[in-house]
């Protein structure tokens, strides 16, 4: 298990119960059912989109693999009589599939790969994992099981007798596998001609058998080595193709297999898209679009991206985190009922209850909006629900328009910043997006410096960028950009004009030179000096002027459209901003949680009696907490007798002075038992272990145990 | 060279046999004299050893097939448990002389059953009057099966009381087989490596039909000149010869040179073969890719080999974890304080330090370290605060599954697991950049 995948805490099954659960947190929760349905449909839409993206990204890789598999055995089938083919030792065609370290994502890739192969190449595919194959015997068992079952899958229930054979424990050796293969391929030959045609249209006469090793790194050398040696001896009767799923680098093949074995393989390398690029596409398609009403706040997005970059590189985990955000948003924000497509949202506004209207009035962004209005309007907004609804519809529309414009302008700005040296605003559009969400981007130093740099761009770069921007605006859905496009086009024509003018001037300069040639040296010097002087004094050329204009124009666009979302009224409805919840769920800290629980049980139990002040040990705490606190004071080895003594002192503190001091020499049996139970609980949790160094001592395993 | 002679077999067959096993005549004649005539009892067990591709399997197979001796040929790697192995022998025995398809297979769990079933099979196949040969290829695998298998096979003749000889083929010497309880000593026979002359002779034997033997022999000569230094594996050489022959023929086909013009041909092929040595031979690029390159006349430079893709992209903290693990593996514990603490004491200048620095820690290999030390170093090398979250811990396990770290010692997870860093300095350098 690599980069352990934690399922989101709210695994929801579609049932009435979950719907109920959805709203049970707050008393004033409204429209729970509608929120639940909206959440479901939104998530389904997003899920489809992510799957589509994944498919598109993998297409190239899969196409290559399919053509490799087609090639691999066809060569031998065609020209077995040729001399070279007889002389060459037959190697096992092998695809080394480098997938990157994000192992959690691989499962999905392999699943879709086997689907693709099943549709195009061969029904015989086996997926092997290292943990199932500690020895060659297990590997063969697993392999035969999968292959023979897949046969049954393909031909439904026609051949009952065959199923029986596979269920009797057949000898798991290569020879029985070969017998099986021969019988299967023969069978497809002798089938009814109609059926044969349908099958041969998809696969050929003797389709290769594909064995996929999902995690090459974890396989032991011996297993792989034996398997390759065995199958290479039978490659002529049994067209095998191996696919190695590699997470690190293809060098692992050489370090796992000795040359005598790797020389039996015919290895070709295939590389999947890096998960960073995958993430960029996901962010591009899911977040930087007006298509989905739900948005992530800056902090939340930062948390998700950080988990991705710092910890696992796993796109699946990112999507799961995104899903969690959606669920959490719809669960905790009653107004999220309006977080849907604009048309629906307007309808829903009309049917909002009074409570919901009050909820809206409580939103900080809305309050700010109210305060900026005239006083009679303020009163209307705060008292009349129908007027409020009208305004909300307008505001929602504004928000929608803002999003549409935001995306286009952001992309446009990215075109500029991504080509600047040192990338002051980040290379990726997601960094720019975060910066814009965080606060007013034009007030940051980075923005200032990138504008400075943009003012030094050369002309050809500037022109291509402008062209890109025009494309972005033309293809964008925003309605306000007609003017912008016009303006940009105007800039472009001006640049064009400049160029023409420049060429003309070139001609004139050369004619000037003609003239100069005839003058004497003294005059030449003089004119040259004059020229130099004039160049220095002339502040800006036409081109420079134009460049300034362009940059200023872009700057104005940014100031207009890239206002951070939290300045927008009603942004709370569509933006999920509680990063702390997300961090709690996705970036769990087991050690800290455990320590808090044992050190300060009040934190979790919320029992007033447990509320302790500072370091003292309360005797009302659970036994394990007392034992734990006592053990924190000890060194690496803990004397059990002393520990018990301390424990009983603490526990007895209540019964305290009135309990007989004389009998305290002998520890009460019940306390003794409680102590033993608490200590064994600690042992179970992995804080201590029995030690052989000293009798009656246990060793600490954590914190300062050294 | 000794011609094969044996009274029991017709001279024509022997002559044919001799042509099939070039450079192995003396071994074959030795084997023949041990085998004796068909009905004669032979030595109970014969152990043949020799380096990879010195013709052990091939010689045994051709010998038994051409003389049509009854035999069973089993590869011990393929039949990896004793049960599979014994059953396979019985199955082959059933279909040995009679051509009938194998009947129902009988389960055979131990050697006792095997001896009983073996006798039955021999009786039913009417093989009692001639020697049966059981050849066990890659016999070193037998050592990993139950302890009684190897000694029992060595004494099979005695145990079954039938005319049977067991031949063991292996790449390692008999001394490594001998069980410490002692066993019947087989007759050992050594197959020496082929010399360059032998290789030349054997490789030239199979020339393509379109070209003359001399022409092909010249090619083989050049090939051996390049590859003999690195590779003496006959199979591999044959493979390489077949791969590159079309390139060799190119000038002849295009008419630039005739097939006697060896110098020109040599000039054409030599750099090509050298390139092949660096790429195909090491399996940097596959042979089919190599062939495609040849056909398209492309430069092999365009195709990057496997070792060109050494860079591994890791998440931010994984990188630091790996670096910390590397430091923990190669630095002694007592220097930790000096390297990772801000206010360490004075560095003592003693001879002791110097003595230590003489042996590089890199030569000694990685040392195991406990988890706590790894985390402590991690906290000190990462600039900002790192919370010990589940994500960090799971990254350690994932580094273990990626084989960049290995877990050392017992599997008790609670008992302070110890790790070793298995990556090289170059790898760490690339990551640290």
């Amino acid at each position: 298990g690599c980069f352990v995948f934690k399922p989101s805490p709210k695994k929801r099954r579609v049932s009435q119960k979950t719907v109920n659960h959805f709203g049970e947190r707050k008393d004033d929760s409204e429209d729970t059912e509608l929120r639940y349905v909206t959440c479901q449909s939104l998530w389904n839409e997003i899920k489809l989109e992510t799957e589509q993206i994944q498919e598109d990204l993998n297409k190239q890789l899969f196409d290559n693999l399919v053509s490799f598999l087609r090639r691999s055995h066809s060569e031998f089938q065609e020209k077995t009589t040729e001399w070279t083919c007889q002389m060459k030792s037959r190697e096992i065609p092998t695809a080394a599939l480098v997938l990157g370290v994000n192992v959690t994502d691989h499962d999905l890739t392999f699943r879709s790969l086997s689907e693709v192969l099943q549709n195009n190449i061969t029904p015989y595919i086996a997926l092997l994992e290292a943990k199932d194959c500690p020895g060659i015997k297990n590997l063969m068992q697993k392999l035969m099981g999968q292959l023979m079952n897949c046969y049954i899958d393909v031909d439904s229930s026609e051949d009952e007798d065959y199923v029986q054979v596979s269920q009797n424990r057949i000898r798991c050796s290569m020879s029985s596998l070969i017998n099986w293969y021969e019988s299967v391929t023969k069978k497809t030959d002798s089938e009814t001609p109609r059926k044969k045609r349908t099958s041969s249209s998809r696969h050929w006469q003797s389709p290769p058998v594909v064995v996929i090793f999902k995690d090459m790194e974890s396989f032991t050398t011996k297993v792989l080595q034996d398997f390759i040696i065995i199958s290479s001896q039978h490659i002529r009767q049994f067209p095998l193709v191996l696919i190695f799923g590699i997470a690190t680098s293809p060098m692992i093949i050489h370090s796992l297999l000795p040359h005598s074995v790797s020389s039996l393989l015919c290895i070709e390398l295939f590389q999947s898209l890096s998960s960073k690029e995958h993430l960029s596409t996901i962010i591009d398609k899911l977040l930087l679009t007006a298509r989905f009403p739900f948005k992530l706040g800056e902090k939340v997005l930062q948390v998700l991206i950080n988990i991705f970059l710092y910890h696992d590189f796993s796109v699946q985990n990112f999507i799961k985190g995104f899903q969690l955000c959606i669920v959490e948003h719809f669960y905790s924000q009653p107004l999220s009922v309006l977080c849907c497509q604009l048309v629906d949202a307007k309808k829903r506004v009309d049917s909002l209850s009074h409570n919901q209207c009050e909820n809206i009035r409580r939103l900080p962004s809305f309050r700010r909006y109210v305060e900026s209005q005239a006083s009679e309007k303020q009163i209307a907004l705060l008292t009349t629900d129908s007027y409020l609804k009208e305004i909300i519809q307008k505001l929602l529309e504004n928000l929608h328009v803002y999003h549409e414009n935001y995306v286009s302008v952001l992309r446009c700005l990215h075109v500029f910043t991504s080509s600047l040296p040192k990338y002051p605003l980040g290379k990726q559009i997601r960094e720019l997006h975060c910066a814009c969400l965080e606060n007013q981007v034009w007030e940051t130093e980075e923005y200032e410096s990138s504008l400075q740099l943009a003012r030094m761009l050369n002309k050809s770069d500037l022109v291509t960028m402008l062209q890109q921007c025009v494309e972005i605006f033309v293809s964008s859905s925003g309605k306000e950009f007609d003017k912008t496009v016009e303006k940009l086009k105007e800039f472009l024509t001006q640049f064009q004009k400049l160029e023409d003018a420049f060429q003309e001037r070139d001609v004139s300069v050369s004619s000037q030179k003609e003239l100069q040639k005839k003058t004497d040296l003294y005059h030449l010097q003089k004119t040259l000096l004059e020229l130099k002087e004039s160049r220095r004094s002339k502040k800006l050329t036409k081109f420079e002027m134009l460049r300034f204009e362009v940059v200023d124009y872009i700057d104005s666009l940014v100031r207009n459209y890239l206002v951070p979302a939290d300045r927008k009224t009603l942004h709370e409805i569509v933006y999920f901003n509680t990063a702390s919840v997300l961090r709690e769920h996705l970036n769990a800290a087991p050690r800290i949680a455990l320590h808090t629980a044992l050190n300060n049980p009040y934190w979790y139990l919320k029992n007033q009696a447990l509320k302790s002040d500072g370091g003292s040990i309360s005797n009302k705490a659970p036994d394990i907490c007392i034992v734990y606190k006592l053990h924190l004071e000890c060194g690496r080895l803990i004397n059990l007798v002393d520990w018990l003594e301390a424990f009983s002192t603490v526990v007895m503190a209540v019964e305290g002075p009135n309990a007989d001091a004389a009998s305290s020499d002998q520890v009460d049996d019940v306390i003794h038992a409680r102590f033993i139970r608490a200590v064994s609980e600690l042992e179970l949790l992995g804080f201590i272990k029995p030690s052989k160094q000293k009798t009656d001592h246990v060793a600490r395993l954590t914190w300062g145990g050294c | 060279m000794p011609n094969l002679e044996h009274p029991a077999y017709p001279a024509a067959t022997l002559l044919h046999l001799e042509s099939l096993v070039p450079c192995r005549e003396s071994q074959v004649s030795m084997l023949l004299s041990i085998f004796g005539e068909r009905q004669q009892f032979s030595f109970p067990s014969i152990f043949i050893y020799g380096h990879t591709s010195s013709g052990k399997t091939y010689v045994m197979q051709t010998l038994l097939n051409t003389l049509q001796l009854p035999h069973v040929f089993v590869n011990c790697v393929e039949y990896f448990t004793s049960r599979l192995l014994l059953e396979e022998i019985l199955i082959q025995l059933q279909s040995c002389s009679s051509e009938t398809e194998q009947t129902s297979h009988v389960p055979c769990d131990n050697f006792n059953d095997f001896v009983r079933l073996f006798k039955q099979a021999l009786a039913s196949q009417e093989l009692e009057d001639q020697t049966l040969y059981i050849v066990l290829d890659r016999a070193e695998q037998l050592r990993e099966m139950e302890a009684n298998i190897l000694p029992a096979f060595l004494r099979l003749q005695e145990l079954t009381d039938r005319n049977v000889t067991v031949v063991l083929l292996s790449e390692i010497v008999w001394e490594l087989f001998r069980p410490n309880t002692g066993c019947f000593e087989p007759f050992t026979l050594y197959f020496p490596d082929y010399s360059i002359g032998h290789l030349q002779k054997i490789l030239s034997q199979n020339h393509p039909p379109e070209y003359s033997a001399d022409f092909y022999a010249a090619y083989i000569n050049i090939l051996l000149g390049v590859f003999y230094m690195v590779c003496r594996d006959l199979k591999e050489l044959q493979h390489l010869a077949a791969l590159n022959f079309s390139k060799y023929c190119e000038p002849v086909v295009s008419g630039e040179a005739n097939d006697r013009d060896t110098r020109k041909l040599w000039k054409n092929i030599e750099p090509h073969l050298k390139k092949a040595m660096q790429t195909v031979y090491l399996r940097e690029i596959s042979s089919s890719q190599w062939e495609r390159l040849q056909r398209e006349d492309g430069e092999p430079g365009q195709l990057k080999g496997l070792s060109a893709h050494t860079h591994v992209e890791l998440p931010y903290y994984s990188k630091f974890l790996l670096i910390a693990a590397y430091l923990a593996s190669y630095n002694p514990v007592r220097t930790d304080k000096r390297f990772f603490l801000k206010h360490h004491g004075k560095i003592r200048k003693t001879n002791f330090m110097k003595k230590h620095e003489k042996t590089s820690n890199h030569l000694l290999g990685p040392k195991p370290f406990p988890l706590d030390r790894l985390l402590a170093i991690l906290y000190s090398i990462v600039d900002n605060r790192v919370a010990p979250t589940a994500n960090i811990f799971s990254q350690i396990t994932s580094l273990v599954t990626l084989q960049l770290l290995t877990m050392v010692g017992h599997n008790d997870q609670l008992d302070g697991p110890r790790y070793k860093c298995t990556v090289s300095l170059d790898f760490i350098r690339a990551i640290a950049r």
Side-chain angles (χ1 to χ4, degrees), chain A residues 245-486:
Chain A
I246 295 172
T248 48
S249 83
M251 285 306 284
I252 195 82
I253 297 176
H254 289 314
S255 54
L256 270 179
L257 301 174
H259 182 253
S260 63
V261 176
S262 66
S263 66
L264 299 172
L265 302 174
C266 175
I267 307 165
E268 275 187 44
L269 192 68
F270 296 89
Q271 206 139 17
S272 76
L273 202 67
S274 89
S275 60
K276 276 184 184 171
E277 285 168 57
H278 191 165
L279 181 81
S280 305
T281 325
I282 291 278
I283 288 182
D284 210 51
K285 293 269 167 69
L286 290 188
L287 301 179
L288 300 178
T289 167
R291 214 182 116 191
F292 302 110
F294 177 75
K295 306 277 173 199
L296 289 180
E298 188 265 335
K299 291 238 174 61
V300 173
L301 183 59
Q302 205 68 59
V303 167
L304 286 180
I305 289 177
N306 280 351
I307 288 176
F308 178 86
L309 288 180
Y310 284 180
H311 294 299
D312 56 8
F313 271 177
S314 162
V315 177
Q316 289 310 313
N317 279 356
F318 181 86
I319 293 170
K320 287 284 167 196
F322 189 57
Q323 185 186 9
L324 179 66
C325 293
I326 296 175
V327 173
E328 191 64 40
H329 179 66
F330 280 93
Y331 175 59
S332 59
Q333 174 63 269
L335 288 171
S336 60
V337 69
L338 297 180
C339 180
C340 54
Q341 298 301 334
L342 188 62
V343 192
D344 299 327
K346 278 182 176 171
K347 276 183 209 149
R348 285 180 193 181
V349 167
D350 285 332
S351 54
L352 279 185
S353 66
H354 177 69
N355 272 344
Q356 286 283 51
C357 292
E358 285 302 311
N359 279 337
I360 285 177
R361 288 183 186 121
R362 259 180 243 130
L363 292 179
S365 69
F366 187 73
R367 277 201 213 150
R368 244 179 285 143
Y369 171 76
V370 171
E371 276 155 26
S372 66
Q373 300 299 313
S375 57
E376 59 267 30
K377 258 192 177 174
Q378 278 185 8
I379 293 164
L381 278 173
L382 292 178
T383 52
T384 328
D385 279 359
S386 57
Y387 181 65
L388 176 79
K389 282 175 187 172
E390 218 172 277
I391 294 294
I392 288 171
Q393 282 179 347
K394 224 177 270 169
L395 288 172
L396 280 177
E397 202 173 321
N398 279 347
L399 200 61
H400 184 74
V401 170
Y402 158 76
H403 282 139
E404 275 180 347
N405 298 339
Y406 177 88
V407 174
S408 312
V409 176
L410 186 76
R411 281 180 206 282
C412 176
L413 180 62
H414 180 242
V415 166
F416 276 87
T417 55
S418 63
S419 58
L420 298 174
K422 283 190 182 171
Y423 311 105
L425 277 169
K427 200 177 177 182
Q428 304 281 346
I429 195 163
R430 58 166 187 260
E431 294 163 77
L432 193 63
H433 180 54
C434 282
C436 292
L437 282 178
E438 197 180 0
N439 46 33
Q440 290 167 332
V441 71
W442 54 89
E443 284 174 351
T444 59
E445 262 174 53
E446 290 86 8
Y447 181 76
E448 206 51 51
S449 65
S450 55
L451 275 196
Q452 291 285 345
L453 287 169
R455 287 193 185 107
M456 285 183 272
L457 284 170
N458 66 15
K459 199 179 77 183
S460 61
D461 282 354
L462 208 54
V463 168
T464 48
M465 279 177 210
L466 282 177
Q467 276 160 350
Q468 278 174 327
C469 291
V470 169
E471 271 168 38
I472 288 168
F473 284 126
V474 166
S475 61
S476 85
S477 49
K479 281 137 201 132
E480 300 175 12
F481 289 126
D482 294 344
K483 264 189 200 160
T484 321
V485 170
E486 245 167 59

Side-chain angles (χ1 to χ4, degrees), chain B residues 134-150:
Chain B
I134 297 179
V135 187
L136 301 174
D137 201 353
R138 290 187 183 262
E140 57 268 18
Q141 293 288 325
L142 289 178
R143 298 180 301 168
E144 274 148 48
M145 297 177 188
E146 289 89 332
N148 69 332
I149 296 289
L150 179 63

Side-chain angles (χ1 to χ4, degrees), chain A residues 91 171 233 263 587-588 689, chain B residues 75 87 283 287 390-391 415:
Chain A
E91 297 165 314
R171 290 156 43 77
Q233 275 167 354
S263 66
N587 217 352
K689 66 162 185 177
Chain B
N75 188 329
E87 283 176 359
R283 294 301 186 276
S287 40
N391 278 329
D415 195 9

Side-chain angles (χ1 to χ4, degrees), chain A residues 540-574:
Chain A
L540 297 167
T541 63
K542 260 188 183 169
F543 165 65
E544 281 163 331
M545 296 279 277
L546 198 54
R547 190 162 62 184
F548 269 74
E549 259 179 67
V550 169
V551 173
D552 286 344
Y553 184 70
I554 296 294
D555 185 36
S556 72
L557 278 180
V558 167
R559 278 164 202 267
N560 258 334
Y561 294 108
L562 294 190
V563 185
D566 51 15
R567 305 290 166 105
K568 285 283 162 190
T569 318
L570 294 187
H571 71 90
E572 288 94 339
I573 289 176
V574 293

Side-chain angles (χ1 to χ4, degrees), chain A residues 612-630:
Chain A
S612 70
D613 39 326
S616 69
I617 306 173
S618 149
N619 58 347
K620 289 192 195 71
D623 290 346
I624 188 172
C625 299
I626 301 172
V627 171
Y628 176 79
K629 273 195 178 173
L630 288 170

